[in-house]
Amino acid sequence: MSSDSEDSDSGSDSLPPPSTDMAEFKRVLRNSKNIIAVCGAGLSAASGIPTFRGAGGMWRKYKATKLATPEAFHKNPSLVWQFYHYRREKARQATPNEAHNALAKFCIPSIRSKTTPDSTFAIITQNVDGLSVRAMNQVWKEHQESNKEADAAQNGPLLEMHGRLFDVQCTSEFCGHMEYDEASPICPALGGTEELFEKGAVDAEIPKSNLPRCKKCNALARPGVVWFGEQPVGLDRNDELVEAADLCLVIGTSSTVYPAAMYAGLVQEHGKVAVFNLERSSGDKYADFLFLGPCDQTLPEALGLVNAS
């Protein structure tokens, strides 16, 4: 993935301001046939997951985005693993919020059809915290338990384009083994390092031999997420969904990380775009609709799912 925080579209000032008319958005939603949601860190903000962007972009004394690179890991795997151990612990403690739940409900055809009949829906998330997956699993379980004639299958794929926080990947080019591991801590040496910042302690210097190791070949392992400069997961599938979409929901993202940042603009060439965010961002130039405020409040209302089950 790559990042570009500069808004180079000087013509954006001539575009009409996005609409804040919720009723009009619901009319567009009802008539849409292929809907995608492009999600960023703001989706998980109400769950207590740090965004590590903008004013909240520091972890200890480091700019968090500078730690999410292969170069940073090569230079100081101890520091990078402590950062990701901290993030893993935050994700373990968090629970999906109402925005996650609304998207999960919208994935279920019988629920979605009440708002927008005969439609498809897919989630493309840049988040690695796993909260969208947990929400989908829980909502689907509850739906099946409360509906004897529940849908045979969900009709809404979830694509985690930046990988998963709990994946652990071997660094050996001869192995490359990856597996899902929710262990806390992932290795004994990382245990408690998440508390160092609160205590004002200096960074721990953990030898490579004590950092997570590949369970297959015992080489040094790394977090199995997509770092800046690396290829996101499932780009071909994402491109297919974007090309077919006639409505794109941009949720909790500043639209500065590519390729996800360009999806809204591509959809607007043949459809509509609605942005749900806490504050204005560079991606607003692609918006037909803009709803500012916490996503866990605006999104359930917009999707007509405040009381859906």
Side-chain angles (χ1 to χ4, degrees), residues 35-54:
I35 308 162
I36 62 171
V38 179
C39 305
L43 174 64
S44 296
S47 296
I49 302 291
T51 62
F52 295 118
R53 306 288 294 181

Side-chain angles (χ1 to χ4, degrees), residues 72-293:
F73 186 78
H74 178 76
K75 180 180 179 181
N76 194 338
S78 171
L79 179 64
V80 173
W81 257 120
Q82 288 176 67
F83 173 53
Y84 280 91
H85 168 72
Y86 172 82
R87 294 185 65 181
R88 284 167 61 96
E89 293 303 300
K90 281 291 186 183
R92 285 174 56 85
Q93 297 163 12
T95 56
N97 62 60
E98 288 306 308
H100 293 113
N101 293 335
L103 291 172
K105 292 175 183 178
F106 205 68
C107 284
I108 299 174
S110 63
I111 294 178
R112 186 173 66 254
S113 65
K114 298 174 184 178
T115 303
T116 173
D118 302 319
S119 64
T120 67
F121 180 59
I123 300 171
I124 301 173
T125 184
Q126 301 170 82
N127 296 338
V128 297
D129 53 43
L131 292 180
S132 289
V133 176
R134 286 163 57 185
M136 289 182 72
N137 290 341
Q138 183 61 36
V139 165
W140 182 242
K141 178 181 177 181
E142 293 173 355
H143 178 69
Q144 288 185 309
E145 290 175 349
S146 61
N147 294 271
K148 293 182 180 180
E149 297 182 0
D151 306 88
Q154 289 168 268
N155 186 26
L158 169 61
L159 297 101
E160 298 172 282
M161 64 182 298
H162 291 167
R164 303 186 297 181
L165 193 56
F166 292 99
D167 278 342
V168 181
Q169 181 178 350
C170 180
T171 60
S172 170
E173 61 179 312
F174 303 105
C175 177
H177 175 69
M178 183 184 291
E179 65 180 65
Y180 190 82
D181 192 339
E182 287 187 316
S184 176
I186 187 65
C187 69
L190 288 170
T193 58
E194 73 276 12
E195 301 174 359
L196 289 177
F197 178 63
E198 282 105 10
K199 295 179 179 178
V202 297
D203 300 326
E205 295 185 7
I206 303 173
K208 283 186 180 180
S209 58
N210 292 341
L211 291 172
R213 315 297 294 184
C214 173
K215 293 182 180 178
K216 188 174 181 180
C217 73
N218 202 42
L220 178 66
R222 54 160 279 183
V225 299
V226 176
W227 282 331
F228 290 104
E230 295 181 328
Q231 179 90 344
V233 178
L235 288 183
D236 289 344
R237 179 59 174 144
N238 289 356
D239 290 344
E240 292 174 359
L241 292 168
V242 170
E243 183 177 353
D246 54 4
L247 176 61
C248 177
L249 312 178
V250 179
I251 304 167
T253 174
S254 58
S255 297
T256 58
V257 177
Y258 286 83
M262 66 183 181
Y263 289 161
L266 292 173
V267 171
Q268 198 177 46
E269 293 177 1
H270 52 266
K272 299 291 186 180
V273 173
V275 172
F276 298 81
N277 224 338
L278 268 176
E279 56 190 12
R280 299 298 303 261
S281 72
S282 60
D284 293 350
K285 63 178 176 289
Y286 297 128
D288 297 286
F289 298 93
L290 175 63
F291 301 106
L292 297 179

